Amino acid sequence: MTSNVTHPLEPLTADEVKLAVTILRDSGKVMPTTRFVSVHLKEPAKEVVHRFRPGAPITREAFALLFDNGKNACYEVTLSLAERKITSWKHVPGVQPTMTSDEQVECEQAVLGSPEFKAALKKHYGIEDTSLVMVDIWSAGNYGSEEDRTRRLARPLCFLRSDPTDNGYAKPIEGLRPVVDLNEMRVLRVEEHGHWPLPPQQCNYAADRVERFRGDIKPLEINQPDGPSFEVEGKRVRWQKWSFVIGFTAREGLTINNLCYEDGGKERSILYRASLSEMVVPYGDPAPQQARKNAFDAGEYGLGMCANSLELGCDCLGLIKYFDGDLVTSRGEPLTIKNAICMHEEDYGILWKHTDRRLPDKPEVRRSRRLVISSIATVENYEYGFFWYLYQDGNIQFEVKLTGILSLGAVKPGENPKYGAMIAPQLYAPNHQHFFNVRLDFDLDGTANTVYQVDLVADELGPNNPFENAFAARATRLESEKPARANLSLETGRTWMIVNENVKNAVGKPVGYRFMPGDNSVPYASKNAWWRKRAGFVNHHVWVTPFAAGEKHAGGDYPNQSRGGDGLIRWTEQDRPIENTDVVLWYTMGHTHIPRPEDYPVMPAAYIGFTLKPAGFFAANPANDLPPAPKKEAKSCCH
Ligand SMILES: [Cu+2]
């Protein structure tokens, strides 16, 4: 089979996924009990991608993650699609890969069909009809027990709808926690933590259930009469001076590859690969029915697997280009998430402006346009929107939009929860945090890059600082992994510079990009909390490692039920050199969520992210060549 992709980093097409499954099945090594956790592109070596020129033949390889429920065994398999053969088959003992979407559905059915669960429901709530009960899978974690080590587990949360389209999260079945063996797909036991009456009120957000809409919104239309300013070939995109390749995996969801900016006729590389590497959402309530809630949304649930099809649920304005996500069901059937990725242009206000006082009739102003590439994952109750923004001045921004439904719990009448906030009568939302780790594989004008930590420091008082006003940036060259681990510092306005010391800019300095963090948090759980052992990447905000193809996930390859200690905390113990080499910067950002009644029944989006700004990468403002917007007769509404 010859691939019809146009770039070696394009994700596997639906046909390629199918071929990989066929090769695996034909090998005779796939059992009826085997699940296909994921099948995705085995990325070629960087040198191969660097050497690639458009039109040259592309050799495609695939990576498959398999899990045999019968043997509780995980396999990593690589395949040559051109030669139609398996090139390596490795058993990885003692690990649990990501739970598949199929397991979410099957787990719900297993709980609803369980006599023990039915009996507990009847005993506590007098419910006999389970048709309105919702069962969200929730990962089981690892708390050191034999069972956590030896079984594939889930520890679902259950809720009750009042009718088939009701928001069931309003009525948590607080005291009952089924524990499910996902290999046997059966309820091992139902843990009973006590009895909490169901909160009394319904609360809905669906359009057909909201009683009255506000009536004062006039239409706002975005018109692009000549079409969008981007060009697309396969998954390759060119937008003004930017170019990149869109990637998509079951675990990470959207990735941005080979991101370049054309400068003076030259294609200059900035990022080789940018991805959301892992997430964790720890809850801060020690109550036994709440304490084990912590979701690694990438490694345990799969952000690509949980990606929305934006065919129906997209609210972007203007001309939109969609990209499908080609995945596989756990039984090896092709699974195409139609319109998993959305791309469009947005007007973003003023990019720059100046009016020369002496030339008052010649104000110069340019509007900012940004390219938005986004994907949204629904992980049971919560939504995460992942948005990459490219700007005309060379800025790159990443933003996560957190929305969806809070994870809620029931309280008894009159109870006032210490570790959360009351949201509605007898309904509360526990305090929690959302940590995101983003992996940024820089290739600034080549692979040999160096990272500096930059702190702003006031000069000491004395004869050299007679006006007591002096301050300067102090740049610390990061030589190896251990000293590169760092947290943000408000006192020193800490940023990071990624530079290529081998390429000098117009003023003789190394070309560079500045990493500008945004909002952030530190974890409040102890370092000994089980979830934190598994999420070592929350120990620091910034980490720098030398590029290693196998290091993609900040919490390690298998965070699900792991005993911890893997990923960034383990790799960086090697203290490998990171100077003038291929470097990866990892950024952990935390959003601390003290819930509000206004987050209910559905939560207005909260935002967290960071920006990369060229800092000496270009000789001057690269957006100086923007043409003024065509003059239009000003429309004024307020006479
Ligand atoms: Cu939250």
Side-chain angles (χ1 to χ4, degrees):
M1 176 187 165
T2 48
S3 179
N4 52 7
V5 297
T6 59
H7 190 279
L9 292 178
E10 283 197 44
L12 295 187
T13 63
D15 283 344
E16 289 174 324
V17 171
K18 222 162 147 185
L19 174 62
V21 171
T22 305
I23 299 167
L24 286 163
R25 285 218 171 107
D26 290 352
S27 74
K29 293 175 124 171
V30 173
M31 301 295 129
T33 47
T34 301
R35 289 197 194 259
F36 294 75
V37 177
S38 59
V39 175
H40 60 78
L41 173 72
K42 181 178 179 284
E43 289 179 19
K46 263 196 184 188
E47 304 78 64
V48 174
V49 177
H50 286 143
R51 273 202 310 270
F52 173 76
R53 294 290 168 265
I58 298 170
T59 311
R60 300 282 272 178
E61 290 181 282
F63 176 89
L65 194 59
L66 305 178
F67 190 78
D68 185 347
N69 288 133
K71 294 193 178 121
N72 192 38
C74 179
Y75 303 94
E76 294 177 350
V77 188
T78 59
L79 307 111
S80 160
L81 296 182
E83 296 170 45
R84 289 174 171 259
K85 65 168 196 192
I86 289 172
T87 45
S88 74
W89 179 281
K90 184 178 142 199
H91 172 226
V92 189
V95 301
Q96 291 295 335
T98 313
M99 300 183 293
T100 60
S101 324
D102 292 342
E103 286 168 293
Q104 292 189 2
V105 178
E106 292 168 33
C107 172
E108 180 162 49
Q109 293 310 316
V111 172
L112 295 179
S114 145
E116 200 185 343
F117 181 70
K118 283 182 179 164
L121 258 186
K122 189 168 176 213
K123 178 177 136 198
H124 285 275
Y125 298 95
I127 300 168
E128 294 199 43
D129 172 14
T130 56
S131 66
L132 294 173
V133 175
M134 313 190 321
V135 182
D136 281 3
I137 193 166
W138 284 79
S139 49
N142 184 328
Y143 298 85
S145 74
E146 162 82 10
E147 180 183 71
D148 291 344
R149 269 199 310 281
T150 54
R151 287 179 182 266
R152 181 165 177 79
L153 292 176
R155 190 178 281 275
L157 298 182
C158 307
F159 306 85
L160 182 70
R161 296 183 197 271
S162 299
D163 60 69
T165 62
D166 180 40
N167 167 25
Y169 292 114
K171 294 179 193 285
I173 299 171
E174 182 69 17
L176 304 183
R177 288 284 177 278
V179 178
V180 181
D181 184 314
L182 296 177
N183 283 328
E184 300 172 23
M185 207 44 89
R186 92 184 155 85
V187 174
L188 294 176
R189 64 181 175 278
V190 178
E191 295 177 350
E192 298 182 33
H193 296 286
H195 179 78
W196 284 262
L198 292 168
Q201 292 179 359
Q202 281 180 268
C203 195
N204 281 286
Y205 50 88
D208 57 3
R209 301 191 71 130
V210 173
E211 279 179 13
R212 194 158 33 87
F213 291 124
R214 59 179 73 184
D216 50 0
I217 316 175
K218 299 265 165 49
L220 174 69
E221 307 278 351
I222 304 289
N223 246 317
Q224 295 184 268
D226 299 333
S229 314
F230 50 71
E231 286 163 36
V232 178
E233 191 183 349
K235 299 272 162 65
R236 281 196 306 157
V237 179
R238 181 167 288 282
W239 178 68
Q240 299 187 35
K241 300 189 175 187
W242 289 102
S243 64
F244 59 95
V245 180
I246 285 177
F248 190 79
T249 67
R251 180 165 175 171
E252 305 155 290
L254 169 64
T255 65
I256 302 289
N257 303 276
N258 227 28
L259 181 65
C260 299
Y261 193 100
E262 187 253 294
D263 179 25
K266 204 176 139 229
E267 205 67 35
R268 298 180 66 190
S269 70
I270 297 167
L271 280 164
Y272 184 79
R273 192 177 195 275
S275 57
L276 190 102
S277 96
E278 191 51 273
M279 272 186 63
V280 64
V281 186
Y283 285 75
D285 188 333
Q289 74 277 15
Q290 289 282 345
R292 291 169 189 251
K293 278 162 61 172
N294 48 70
F296 289 64
D297 295 86
E300 290 179 343
Y301 299 82
L303 295 170
M305 235 182 285
C306 296
N308 286 190
S309 169
L310 298 169
E311 202 165 22
L312 299 168
C314 180
D315 197 30
C316 299
L317 296 174
L319 291 170
I320 297 163
K321 166 70 187 169
Y322 291 108
F323 299 89
D324 295 344
D326 291 307
L327 306 176
V328 67
T329 74
S330 79
R331 295 306 178 199
E333 299 305 316
L335 172 68
T336 294
I337 301 179
K338 203 91 190 112
N339 300 2
I341 296 160
C342 163
M343 182 173 80
H344 72 291
E345 294 172 280
E346 278 180 0
D347 179 88
Y348 198 62
I350 289 177
L351 180 62
W352 58 259
K353 172 163 188 167
H354 183 60
T355 308
D356 186 328
R357 173 168 70 78
R358 292 157 201 86
L359 304 167
D361 55 350
K362 271 186 68 47
E364 293 289 342
V365 60
R366 302 293 183 272
R367 286 201 76 79
S368 175
R369 180 95 56 99
R370 65 182 186 183
L371 185 70
V372 187
I373 310 110
S374 66
S375 181
I376 299 173
T378 300
V379 189
E380 298 288 26
N381 56 301
Y382 233 83
E383 258 79 10
Y384 296 101
F386 303 102
F387 287 72
W388 290 94
Y389 300 109
L390 303 176
Y391 294 84
Q392 292 155 313
D393 61 354
N395 280 6
I396 301 161
Q397 189 193 352
F398 179 63
E399 186 170 70
V400 183
K401 299 186 187 182
L402 301 88
T403 178
I405 317 254
L406 290 166
S407 179
L408 298 159
V411 295
K412 290 173 183 158
E415 251 181 359
N416 201 18
K418 176 179 176 188
Y419 304 103
M422 287 302 294
I423 296 299
Q426 290 170 239
L427 187 67
Y428 93 112
N431 299 336
H432 60 278
Q433 299 186 288
H434 304 254
F435 290 96
F436 305 87
N437 181 277
V438 183
R439 180 181 181 274
L440 299 169
D441 179 357
F442 282 95
D443 269 10
L444 276 189
D445 275 340
T447 50
N449 293 170
T450 302
V451 181
Y452 285 78
Q453 178 183 311
V454 181
D455 292 279
L456 300 177
V457 188
D459 268 21
E460 280 184 27
L461 303 186
N464 292 329
N465 187 11
F467 298 100
E468 305 194 8
N469 66 329
F471 73 97
R474 186 182 63 204
T476 310
R477 194 165 191 264
L478 301 175
E479 294 170 357
S480 66
E481 290 176 295
K482 277 188 180 175
R485 297 164 173 169
N487 268 7
L488 303 192
S489 159
L490 183 61
E491 287 76 11
T492 68
R494 186 169 293 159
T495 56
W496 284 261
M497 273 289 285
I498 301 89
V499 301
N500 186 332
E501 295 174 332
N502 314 296
V503 181
K504 299 291 194 285
N505 62 22
V507 289
K509 304 276 194 221
V511 294
Y513 253 75
R514 184 176 291 151
F515 176 81
M516 319 263 305
D519 266 5
N520 214 328
S521 291
V522 293
Y524 294 108
S526 140
K527 275 196 177 174
N528 290 322
W530 273 100
W531 75 263
R532 268 198 78 174
K533 296 186 199 175
R534 299 194 288 130
F537 60 90
V538 305
N539 291 357
H540 302 283
H541 295 134
V542 168
W543 311 68
V544 184
T545 59
F547 170 84
E551 297 176 3
K552 286 244 171 68
H553 311 293
D557 287 346
Y558 299 100
N560 190 12
Q561 289 180 248
S562 85
R563 293 182 57 76
D566 204 1
L568 283 169
I569 38 173
R570 181 169 68 81
W571 306 328
T572 56
E573 273 305 301
Q574 300 166 80
D575 207 18
R576 294 167 292 188
I578 49 172
E579 294 170 285
N580 200 19
T581 184
D582 193 356
V583 293
V584 179
L585 186 140
W586 308 70
Y587 180 57
T588 301
M589 52 189 181
H591 173 79
T592 300
H593 194 173
I594 305 297
R596 319 165 293 159
E598 291 86 345
D599 292 335
Y600 182 69
V602 64
M603 189 185 138
Y607 305 88
I608 188 166
F610 62 84
T611 305
L612 289 164
K613 263 176 186 278
F617 190 72
F618 299 108
N621 178 359
N624 211 32
D625 63 353
L626 279 185
K631 282 252 183 312
K632 277 195 194 141
E633 202 180 319
K635 282 185 197 148
S636 173
C637 63
C638 308
H639 296 291

